Amino acid sequence: MLIVHGDVHSQCVFIMALQILVTDDDLQIQNLIKDYLELEGYSVILASDGEKALSLAQKYHPHLLISDIKMPHKDGYKLVKDLRKLPEFRLLPVIFLTQQDTIEAKIHGYQAGCDVYLAKPFEPMELAAIVRHLLERSQVIQAERLFPESHRSPPPQSLDNNSSHTCVSLTNREKEVLDLIIKGYSNIQIAQELYLSPKTIEKYVANLLKKTDSQNRTELVTFAFKNNLTHT
């Protein structure tokens, strides 16, 4: 868990790190990955077999999975296939980290649904770079899914000449983000409050600025009060 000191009410803001589920029956490999990724700022959950990993994934909803293939009870292939059957894990980034380095094993891994196939022994720095890349890509994909309307035409202006307000259509999540902006929350604090990533919040804020034709947060807040967009 990362701790960031906020300026709102002089309180500390606690930000949950992105969670990574590591599944391997080798405890040394588990701890090596855990120690290195925690130094990179991630939160790591450990499992020693596929059955336990599936249970932990459904409980904690990790942002990425690193899995061995040959494990007791449920191997990596079956684990990923079972996860991919669940809607919430269809886009989960998956890294196979294994000693099985044949072409056939790699093909089977990609067919099962992994994104990257990395052979043991491995370089922790390379693994961390792959993790970072997959998580960044995942955040972009999730943000695009959250904002399909950003590719549409801008909302129409009010045609009522007697009204000084502009018609702006906001989603419920955009309204939540806007209310927290008005309260003075930073993007990191909003992410903590709404249990989203800071990058996703950046996308929401950018969308709000675009919809309201604002150049910065000050103009956005002024626009919100002028047009009765706030619920605070």
Side-chain angles (χ1 to χ4, degrees):
M1 180 179 290
L2 303 178
I3 303 176
V4 179
H5 292 281
D7 56 356
V8 178
H9 307 305
S10 299
Q11 294 180 347
C12 289
V13 178
F14 293 85
I15 310 297
M16 290 298 295
L18 294 178
Q19 286 190 327
I20 299 174
L21 175 58
V22 176
T23 310
D24 199 303
D25 58 349
D26 187 326
L27 293 180
Q28 287 186 322
I29 295 295
Q30 279 189 16
N31 290 325
L32 171 63
I33 297 173
K34 181 177 185 292
D35 291 344
Y36 196 88
L37 292 181
E38 285 183 345
L39 286 175
E40 294 290 313
Y42 302 109
S43 173
V44 179
I45 307 167
L46 299 177
S48 57
D49 62 70
E51 286 288 355
K52 182 66 174 178
L54 182 60
S55 175
L56 290 174
Q58 291 174 302
K59 180 178 180 179
Y60 292 105
H61 294 272
H63 298 89
L64 182 142
L65 169 67
I66 299 173
S67 179
D68 192 6
I69 291 177
K70 189 176 180 180
M71 298 181 295
H73 306 303
K74 186 191 296 285
D75 65 21
Y77 297 136
K78 186 66 166 61
L79 167 63
V80 174
K81 286 180 179 179
D82 287 348
L83 284 172
R84 292 293 189 226
K85 293 176 184 177
L86 304 174
E88 62 268 35
F89 296 118
R90 286 175 183 167
L91 296 178
L92 177 71
V94 173
I95 300 172
F96 271 147
L97 186 61
T98 177
Q99 291 179 337
Q100 300 187 34
D101 196 25
T102 65
I103 295 298
E104 292 78 8
K106 291 180 179 180
I107 291 173
H108 195 177
Y110 288 119
Q111 289 175 338
C114 82
D115 295 280
V116 174
Y117 196 106
L118 189 60
K120 297 176 182 176
F122 64 97
E123 287 291 336
M125 288 180 63
E126 181 183 7
L127 177 62
I130 293 171
V131 166
R132 190 178 307 110
H133 166 72
L134 290 178
L135 287 173
E136 288 176 354
R137 187 186 70 180
S138 177
Q139 293 296 314
V140 170
I141 292 172
Q142 290 183 35
E144 290 298 326
R145 294 181 70 201
L146 287 169
F147 297 100
E149 71 273 14
S150 64
H151 301 291
R152 304 172 189 167
S153 301
Q157 299 288 317
S158 172
L159 299 178
D160 184 358
N161 293 328
N162 296 321
S163 173
S164 61
H165 300 302
T166 301
C167 290
V168 176
S169 177
L170 301 181
T171 65
N172 289 333
R173 183 65 84 183
E174 286 172 339
K175 292 175 183 177
E176 291 176 339
V177 172
L178 179 58
D179 286 344
L180 293 174
I181 290 174
I182 292 170
K183 290 179 179 178
Y185 282 41
S186 68
N187 285 0
I188 292 178
Q189 292 168 325
I190 296 173
Q192 183 269 339
E193 186 75 15
L194 300 181
Y195 300 99
L196 297 172
S197 74
K199 284 197 174 184
T200 300
I201 297 302
E202 288 176 9
K203 182 72 174 180
Y204 275 115
V205 173
N207 215 45
L208 285 168
L209 292 172
K210 180 179 178 181
K211 282 188 174 184
T212 61
D213 195 25
S214 300
Q215 299 299 315
N216 51 51
R217 283 177 171 237
T218 300
E219 290 186 11
L220 175 59
V221 172
T222 300
F223 183 96
F225 279 112
K226 182 178 179 182
N227 292 278
N228 295 326
L229 296 180
T230 176
H231 298 89
T232 57

